[in-house]
Amino acid sequence: MKFLRLVGSNLKRKKIRTLLTLSSILVAFVLFGYLAAIRQALSQGVDVAGADRLVVRHKVSIIQFLPESYEADMERIEGVAEATHATWFGGIYQEPQNFFPQFPVKPEEYLAMYPEFLLPEDQKQAWLKSRTGAVVGRTTADRFEWKVGDKIPIQATIWTRSGGQRTWEFDLVGIYDGAEAGTDTTQFLFRHDYFDEARDMARGQIGWYYVRVEDPDKAAGVAAAIDNEFANSPAETKAETEGAFVQGFADQIGNIGAIIQAIVGAVFFTILLVAGNTMAQSVRERTGELAVLKAVGFTDAHVLGLVLTEAVTIAALGGFAGLGLSWFMISAGDPTGGLLPIFFLPRQDIVIGIVLVVVLGLLTGLLPALQAGRLRIADALRRL
Amino acid sequence: MSRQAALDQVEATSSVSSETLVRVEGCTKHFRRGSEEIRVLEKLDLEVPKGEFLALMGPSGSGKSTLLNLMGGLDRPTTGSITVAGERIDQLSRPKLAAWRARHVGFVFQFYNLLPVLNAERNIELPLLLTHLSRAERKKHVETALEIVGLSHRQKHYPGTLSGGEQQRVGIARGIVTDPTLLLADEPTGDLDRKTGDEILDLLQALNRDHGKTIIMVTHDPHAAARSTRTLYVNEGRLRAEPVE
Ligand SMILES: Nc1ncnc2c1ncn2[C@@H]1O[C@H](COP(=O)(O)OP(=O)(O)O)[C@@H](O)[C@H]1O
Ligand SMILES: [Mg+2]
């Protein structure tokens, strides 16, 4: 403690220099935290995908429809627990940039398929009673300040209503929360029966199926059995685990995760050199003072420890402030306004950040500290 | 009682004892500079009795500081032995030697060597950080030291706001705050004007006479050396009782 005060006084020696070093470390850690959230967002579903869920889409592409009748066929296949479907609605709320995903679904089946969507029981009952009812995730509800009871008008881009009408109006009957940090709480869900009856084309067609398998270990076999079932039919399928399905999307964006890691790596390498050099310089300027400390009885280990503590303190002040700031910025929400629905700083990256802070401090302080520890008093005093 | 009065009073009671505090025996110190060997001290012997105020004089580069550093455990002799208060300090390991310095020696430097980031009080406290004293106890020791050097009114001042003489007083206070066995001063007045230098010498003299401190002071100023109880001259690696003409 008494030595920490000494470290503290040294930090105040050249305030501007300390501040600049702190800031550069802070910026590095803000970047680290923020990019970690983006990387997480891009790989989103992969981590949270249920291992027991399959996604079954048209063999040619996701934008081609499958017959609604497949559901019953699939449920007859060995190893399938249940199947339900969703369709891409792609409507616009007020303005195109207000993006959030909208799906017509079968309420009970969908909620059963996604137990991580937490909808209060009374709201679920209300949804089952109201054909025009819709539920929405907390993130989107907060974003547009929607409350249960609101009427939400959505402009169709694909699905006009019979008679060519574009506006669909839904009654918001529920707001769901996510059971985990990674749960997608941006979805807007409404009833497929209402949708199917009101749309003016492709009735009886749906976008894709979700299938729950009885045994996750046999998921691959069940997927093959499903594809086999519909082989040589007009609408052949491609079944894969939810994880693989989401990964497919992520791969289309390119290997952004690797690019982000490279950027963070380069930034940290630069900061290491900058902070290390500053630390070395600050110790070099203090050679005489360190010699005086040794003259009055500080051991080599004391002096080494002081310098190392100073470096770690600088890294900790800048690093933790940076992590904190990035966390704060991330909690302000998805910067793209909807494209990255799952936006948070994963706990794992917080831990990595803390480890990085300590490692950075030790690395920047190591050489100067060793040098200070080895310093010969008589030589150093002569050079004053 | 004024300081001068205090000085006058102790004038009569010289405290040099017959007990040897520092014993340097057959000490040789060589330095290497590249391939060249610099022979600074050659088989040098010295005994400093407890309570002495010894002045070391000699031409620049003769090895005065080198000798002082050896006796203060800042450096080790090439050969020979150095015994302080019965302990062979030339044989101590580096950490042991550091601990020994903390307990037994105070240093006063020509250029004060205060830490600019610490105020007077905390500069003086530095050697006490290595002891087990509590914060309150350290504070008391610092106050006593400040009082002895006559600088109680400057305790919160930073070195940059103090005059040279005041900085040297802080330096001396730091040197004596642990109540060391031995006070070593390397040209303590070398950077001060005559009048301020005299005040510092008054102080050292008082520490010697009043507080019984054994002091070894390097100086090239005969006026300063005159304050000591004994003056020795370093020349060509040896000690002499008289200056070499
Ligand atoms: N650490 C050292 N490395 C090399 N040479 C040194 C070292 N310390 C002292 N010397 C040399 O030893 C001689 C005596 O130095 P010093 O004791 O500082 O002299 P003084 O204090 O009497 O002026 C000088 O020639 C000096 O250059
Ligand atoms: Mg000298």
Side-chain angles (χ1 to χ4, degrees), chain A residues 140-300:
Chain A
T140 302
D142 288 348
R143 181 170 164 207
F144 302 112
E145 298 178 352
W146 289 343
K147 299 177 304 297
V148 170
D150 286 357
K151 284 202 182 304
I152 313 294
I154 305 233
Q155 300 301 316
T157 56
I158 310 166
W159 302 105
T160 48
R161 301 169 56 139
S162 18
Q165 208 189 319
R166 290 197 164 271
T167 305
W168 293 68
E169 198 170 73
F170 301 100
D171 296 305
L172 196 64
V173 296
I175 295 171
Y176 73 86
D177 287 292
E180 292 151 39
T183 306
D184 182 359
T185 52
T186 64
Q187 297 182 11
F188 182 88
L189 305 166
F190 55 96
R191 282 170 57 155
H192 179 78
D193 53 357
Y194 169 53
F195 168 69
D196 196 44
E197 190 185 86
R199 62 178 164 174
D200 70 353
M201 60 160 191
R203 287 217 180 109
Q205 305 281 311
I206 58 90
W208 59 88
Y209 286 96
Y210 296 108
V211 171
R212 180 183 301 286
V213 297
E214 278 158 1
D215 179 359
D217 293 338
K218 299 197 179 117
V222 175
I226 292 172
D227 289 347
N228 199 38
E229 170 82 18
F230 304 108
N232 304 317
S233 77
E236 293 189 283
T237 60
K238 178 167 166 52
E240 54 195 339
T241 61
E242 194 175 38
F245 175 75
V246 178
Q247 187 63 59
F249 266 120
D251 289 348
Q252 283 175 13
I253 312 171
N255 202 345
I256 290 181
I259 295 173
I260 287 177
Q261 238 145 23
I263 293 173
V264 168
V267 167
F268 271 88
F269 187 66
T270 310
I271 292 301
L272 188 67
L273 296 184
V274 169
N277 181 52
T278 310
M279 198 62 212
Q281 191 183 339
S282 124
V283 166
R284 230 178 292 124
E285 289 166 4
R286 256 186 286 162
T287 305
E289 291 176 32
L290 296 172
V292 169
L293 287 180
K294 289 193 175 185
V296 305
F298 282 62
T299 60
D300 298 346

Side-chain angles (χ1 to χ4, degrees), chain B residues 64-66 186-187 218:
Chain B
K64 304 181 295 292
S65 298
T66 302
D186 196 344
E187 311 217 16
V218 165

